[in-house]
Amino acid sequence: RNWIGRSEGSSLRFKVANSKLEIEVFTTRPDTIFGVTFLTLAPENEIVLQITTPEQKAKVDAYITYAKNRSERDRQADVKKITGEFTAAYALHPFTGKKIPVWIGDYVLATYGTGAVMAVPSSDERDYKFAKHFGIPVIHVIEGTEHLEDPCEKLHGTMINSDFLNGMESHAAIKR
């Protein structure tokens, strides 16, 4: 409440498939919800160990150990090294019901927001680099980004591939 530089946005809940658990994310860009192709959790997020499948447990545990040995400053500063691990869990998109893979990545910090990110690679540089590195699809939600080498160059415009938000300007879509 008294945080300098406080962000305004929306909290969204993604139900974990085949579970009663939910992953809450905070976003300043709810207009990009239809561009979500994965969720990324901070390695320290308490839900990680609850949703990771037995087949992925050893890899996820090793990644958590790796991330815990890096300071938050190092994790924020090291933008060239892209690391992460798939939990093999899926969340359900709150509007479409589509299954979305849940990853952990050290670019997400447990101390910032909810420690979970709805990853929209076409509108966020870190999400874009993570998606490209791991071969995760990109859904363009801002008209004119489809042909850009880096779609994050254009963050506002007319919404596309966005269901009931199609054709709206992004600022109006945020309010909607």
Side-chain angles (χ1 to χ4, degrees):
R1 188 169 81 185
N2 297 321
W3 179 38
I4 296 171
R6 176 177 73 97
S7 297
E8 291 190 22
S10 300
S11 287
L12 299 164
R13 294 181 185 275
F14 291 77
K15 292 183 180 187
V16 177
N18 305 315
S19 169
K20 293 182 181 183
L21 298 171
E22 291 182 330
I23 298 170
E24 182 180 1
V25 301
F26 175 81
T27 181
T28 59
R29 294 294 308 270
D31 58 316
T32 64
I33 184 67
F34 292 99
V36 174
T37 57
F38 62 104
L39 298 181
T40 313
L41 305 177
E44 306 87 356
N45 191 313
E46 61 189 40
I47 201 169
V48 170
L49 297 177
Q50 297 174 57
I51 65 171
T52 300
T53 65
E55 298 79 20
Q56 286 296 104
K57 186 175 179 351
K59 288 181 181 179
V60 167
D61 286 348
Y63 187 77
I64 290 170
T65 300
Y66 161 79
K68 282 183 179 178
N69 288 319
R70 300 183 72 208
S71 71
E72 281 191 11
R73 180 177 288 183
D74 289 341
R75 288 166 58 178
Q76 288 177 313
D78 190 3
V79 295
K80 292 182 181 178
K81 187 175 183 180
I82 299 166
T83 65
E85 194 61 60
F86 180 44
T87 65
Y90 290 85
L92 303 176
H93 191 286
F95 288 98
T96 67
K98 182 180 174 186
K99 284 186 172 183
I100 300 167
V102 180
W103 288 73
I104 58 173
D106 69 355
Y107 76 96
V108 180
L109 303 176
T111 57
Y112 183 80
T114 64
V117 169
M118 64 172 219
V120 183
S122 67
S123 297
D124 182 271
E125 186 176 359
R126 295 168 306 162
D127 296 342
Y128 181 73
K129 289 178 179 178
F130 194 91
K132 284 297 182 188
H133 183 79
F134 289 107
I136 301 169
V138 175
I139 298 172
H140 298 274
V141 292
I142 305 291
E143 187 175 58
T145 61
E146 312 92 327
H147 307 293
L148 295 176
E149 190 171 314
D150 179 359
C152 303
E153 292 175 24
K154 184 176 180 182
L155 296 178
H156 294 282
T158 303
M159 304 306 298
I160 58 172
N161 300 317
S162 296
D163 197 79
F164 64 92
L165 300 175
N166 281 339
M168 296 180 77
E169 288 300 311
S170 52
H171 295 292
I174 288 171
K175 291 178 182 173
R176 179 94 185 270

